[in-house]
Amino acid sequence: MFEYADIFLKQYKEIVGESVLTSDDTETYSFYQGYPYSVNIAISNSRGTAVVFVPNSTDENTVVELTYPIENYIPEITDDEKENMVIGLAGEGTNSTFNNINLHGSWIYIENSTDSVYCNIDDNSPILLADGIHFNGVSYIDAKTIWREGNITLNGKLVLDKTVILKSSNLKTEWTNEKAVDDSIDLIYKEAIDDIYYKSKLTGIGYYELEELITEYRENEISGFYKVHVNDKWEDRNKIFNKADEYGISQGSVALELSQSINEKTQFEKFLAYMGDIMTIRSLILSLVAFVIWVKGIKLLKS
């Protein structure tokens, strides 16, 4: 687990830190501003694991074992806390998604739902998660203060305020070095896409087209679609960046350099796959020719 966290931090810092950072980048990639990080690991004996990155900290890394499911790592709100707060409703009985979150007062309340939701609050308002909500695939909640009203269900990955990664699985396959690299890149793209969304929303430039693309992208993340269709994930990201570029919305240097690097890698992998297909066909033909020669040779020997 500590190796996963170490690779995650190194990969993120390497990608962002080695880019030519603009003033936009400094604001966009807020996780980068938190270095150095210490790491706290919470492993549930029953279900799931949490990695907590503590910003601006050189404290010793820690690990604890939990007896309860990792979803309960999110604290449950008390009656006193609820009575003293103004609670707003999002969705009000319907399935809340990325593009129809409504804010009232200082709280956002996620209504009971069998679908997961993407919550991103500009002013870091506190969030109260309703009893029975489900989080599937990959979900993000950007808020400094998060409570749950009762039980929630996690099937996949839930990232809280960029610094807490909850996964429903304790299997080593979900916490490999490769996963650490993928998760760090996912965070970088999340920050870049959020920045595009806010700039578009603030100015109104290309907002409806970008909102549609970003909403579809988030819904595919939440549903787990990209876990099976990896190439679609990169293509949908590029659609967002291309559309932002079309409307002159700045994306900073980090996202552009990363996208270019990923595209070059993808093209190379496609080339290798193509060459592999050719070699496979060539091998089959040679095998068939050898088989025919062998059969003819047997017949000649018999004759």
Side-chain angles (χ1 to χ4, degrees):
M1 291 304 305
F2 286 125
E3 188 174 0
Y4 165 92
D6 186 52
I7 295 294
F8 182 100
L9 290 171
K10 285 181 178 178
Q11 181 69 36
Y12 182 98
K13 190 174 184 180
E14 180 179 328
I15 293 174
V16 177
E18 291 187 0
S19 298
V20 181
L21 296 177
T22 65
S23 57
D24 283 343
D25 290 331
T26 304
E27 296 180 4
T28 301
Y29 303 99
S30 59
F31 186 84
Y32 184 72
Q33 310 309 317
Y35 281 83
Y37 284 93
S38 61
V39 179
N40 297 331
I41 308 291
I43 302 175
S44 169
N45 291 328
S46 60
R47 172 183 161 84
T49 303
V51 175
V52 182
F53 298 108
V54 184
N56 304 309
S57 172
T58 56
D59 293 341
E60 185 177 354
N61 296 337
T62 64
V63 59
V64 296
E65 291 187 14
L66 308 177
T67 57
Y68 48 78
I70 204 63
E71 293 94 328
N72 292 356
Y73 186 84
I74 301 173
E76 189 169 10
I77 195 168
T78 65
D79 291 337
D80 290 339
E81 287 168 330
K82 285 179 65 175
E83 287 178 3
N84 295 326
M85 297 291 178
V86 176
I87 299 177
L89 299 178
E92 302 192 36
T94 63
N95 292 340
S96 302
T97 55
F98 177 81
N99 61 341
N100 65 8
I101 290 176
N102 299 308
L103 289 175
H104 303 279
S106 61
W107 278 67
I108 183 171
Y109 182 87
I110 310 303
E111 197 64 40
N112 289 15
S113 168
T114 56
D115 294 326
S116 88
V117 288
Y118 178 88
C119 313
N120 198 318
I121 313 305
D122 293 333
D123 58 359
N124 280 316
S125 300
I127 288 181
L128 175 61
L129 301 175
D131 180 33
I133 192 171
H134 288 238
F135 289 94
N136 304 311
V138 180
S139 300
Y140 294 91
I141 298 179
D142 291 337
K144 297 294 182 185
T145 307
I146 304 167
W147 281 284
R148 58 186 172 86
E149 191 178 34
N151 295 318
I152 64 175
T153 302
L154 172 61
N155 293 307
K157 181 174 73 174
L158 175 60
V159 181
L160 308 177
D161 198 35
K162 302 179 184 179
T163 59
V164 181
I165 300 176
L166 304 174
K167 290 189 182 183
S168 56
S169 174
N170 283 343
L171 296 177
K172 290 182 179 180
T173 52
E174 285 298 321
W175 300 97
T176 61
N177 293 351
E178 291 77 16
K179 287 286 186 181
V181 171
D182 290 342
D183 289 346
S184 65
I185 291 175
D186 281 350
L187 177 57
I188 290 172
Y189 270 107
K190 172 208 156 21
E191 291 177 306
I193 290 172
D194 283 351
D195 187 60
I196 290 172
Y197 175 78
Y198 288 133
K199 287 177 180 176
S200 176
K201 184 177 181 180
L202 182 65
T203 61
I205 299 174
Y207 176 67
Y208 292 107
E209 291 178 77
L210 281 166
E211 183 193 35
E212 183 178 353
L213 290 174
I214 292 172
T215 299
E216 182 181 0
Y217 172 75
R218 293 305 186 198
E219 289 175 349
N220 285 338
E221 272 196 319
I222 288 168
S223 67
F225 176 81
Y226 290 139
K227 196 167 185 178
V228 180
H229 304 85
V230 179
N231 287 335
D232 288 343
K233 184 179 185 179
W234 299 114
E235 289 177 5
D236 289 349
R237 283 170 172 171
N238 285 332
K239 286 179 184 177
I240 295 171
F241 287 112
N242 290 338
K243 185 60 65 175
D245 188 56
E246 181 182 323
Y247 282 103
I249 298 175
S250 63
Q251 303 161 38
S253 61
V254 178
L256 290 175
E257 290 177 16
L258 181 57
S259 292
Q260 183 178 0
S261 173
I262 293 295
N263 286 337
E264 290 174 354
K265 181 181 177 182
T266 302
Q267 292 303 318
F268 182 66
E269 288 175 346
K270 286 181 178 179
F271 171 75
L272 289 180
Y274 173 71
M275 292 302 297
D277 290 340
I278 291 176
M279 293 302 293
T280 300
I281 294 171
R282 182 173 178 271
S283 298
L284 286 173
I285 292 173
L286 290 175
S287 298
L288 182 59
V289 170
F291 177 74
V292 171
I293 293 173
W294 178 76
V295 170
K296 288 185 177 182
I298 294 296
K299 289 182 177 180
L300 286 172
L301 286 172
K302 287 183 178 180
S303 66

